[in-house]
Amino acid sequence: FTANVSHELKTPLTTIRGFAEMLGGGMITDGDDIRRYGKRIYDEANRLLNVINDIIRLSEIEENHSEIFTETNLSAVAKEVAENLAEKAKRLEIDLSVSGSDVTIQANGGYIYEMIYNLTENAVKYNRPGGKVLVDVSRAGDKAVITVADNGIGIPKEHQGRIFERFYRVDKARSRDTGGTGLGLSLTRSAVLLHRGSIKLYSKEKEGTTFTVRIPLTYVP
């Protein structure tokens, strides 16, 4: 983990230092170039902050200190996620929708939002123009069931056993291009386990991916 963190922090820092040195040394003087390299420094700094924030968030979830569990309407959370991702989905030409019924559980609302958001954002990002993403909420006995399904690029079988590992990326280039930190699914799994739930993956390359989360309606410490 330490080696992975060091690598993830070193890469953007090296880029920032290199461009800053060029700008500070007067090697870049053209206005357009200054703006271009300035934006690159800004983007890499944001990437660095995202990694640090995700590491802190992951630590908070796993340590589970002073967590507050309240009545949380999963359907309402799913709809909020869809609204917040609507612009991105439209830009990528993805049909994003929410279905199911109102299901309320005892949960940490913030972590539940992050869980659904991470799964839904991945379904949108790793899709194709004209693709579909469906977030469904239902109840099965004493458990709530959240399903996030897409008909996108899918996950190759050889990668499926490792996707919840910290910093593991199926497509490193695409993940970096889309701003991924490699911690989204680790955060998701930790949030699921915190609520005594389970998460399962079904995916077929070039056909799509479905994540199914089951969480008890009542939280038991």
Side-chain angles (χ1 to χ4, degrees):
F1 177 67
T2 302
N4 283 334
V5 169
S6 298
H7 175 75
E8 292 296 328
L9 299 183
K10 183 179 179 181
T11 302
L13 278 173
T14 300
T15 302
I16 290 169
R17 186 178 69 175
F19 287 143
E21 184 179 8
M22 293 169 68
L23 287 167
M27 298 172 64
I28 302 172
T29 57
D30 180 76
D32 290 338
D33 286 340
I34 290 173
R35 283 188 289 273
R36 180 158 57 90
Y37 286 112
K39 183 180 183 304
R40 183 70 184 277
I41 290 173
Y42 177 80
D43 290 342
E44 291 295 330
N46 273 339
R47 177 182 160 197
L48 189 61
L49 282 173
N50 288 336
V51 171
I52 292 170
N53 287 335
D54 278 355
I55 291 171
I56 293 171
R57 198 67 170 147
L58 186 60
S59 177
E60 287 176 351
I61 295 174
E62 292 183 346
E63 289 177 7
N64 188 21
H65 289 323
S66 303
E67 302 303 345
I68 299 174
F69 288 77
T70 59
E71 296 292 309
T72 302
N73 186 312
L74 294 177
S75 182
V77 174
K79 289 175 182 176
E80 182 182 357
V81 167
E83 288 177 5
N84 290 336
L85 286 171
E87 184 178 344
K88 186 170 193 175
K90 183 179 180 180
R91 185 172 70 251
L92 296 175
E93 300 178 34
I94 306 298
D95 179 16
L96 172 59
S97 59
V98 176
S99 66
S101 55
D102 284 342
V103 180
T104 299
I105 65 172
Q106 289 181 346
N108 180 298
Y111 292 162
I112 292 295
Y113 177 89
E114 284 188 49
M115 178 194 76
I116 297 176
Y117 186 94
N118 285 337
L119 293 175
T120 307
E121 185 185 36
N122 278 351
V124 170
K125 286 196 302 185
Y126 299 104
N127 214 313
R128 294 169 291 209
K132 295 182 179 182
V133 175
L134 175 63
V135 183
D136 182 75
V137 176
S138 62
R139 177 175 174 170
D142 62 348
K143 289 183 173 62
V145 182
I146 305 107
T147 303
V148 180
D150 68 70
N151 61 347
I153 61 176
I155 302 170
K157 192 172 182 179
E158 63 268 24
H159 293 286
Q160 293 181 18
R162 301 189 61 189
I163 60 170
F164 293 109
E165 294 180 16
R166 298 169 180 176
F167 298 114
Y168 188 81
R169 296 180 176 91
V170 175
D171 186 339
K172 293 183 179 180
R174 184 166 183 173
S175 179
R176 293 183 190 280
D177 289 343
T178 56
T181 65
L183 287 170
L185 288 178
S186 293
L187 284 163
T188 297
R189 181 183 63 177
S190 294
V192 171
L193 295 178
L194 175 65
H195 291 86
R196 308 295 186 260
S198 65
I199 181 168
K200 291 185 178 181
L201 160 73
Y202 172 80
S203 186
K204 193 169 183 179
E205 204 169 356
K206 297 181 180 180
E207 291 188 13
T209 299
T210 300
F211 283 94
T212 303
V213 176
R214 288 181 170 82
I215 296 177
L217 300 175
T218 303
Y219 177 73
V220 179

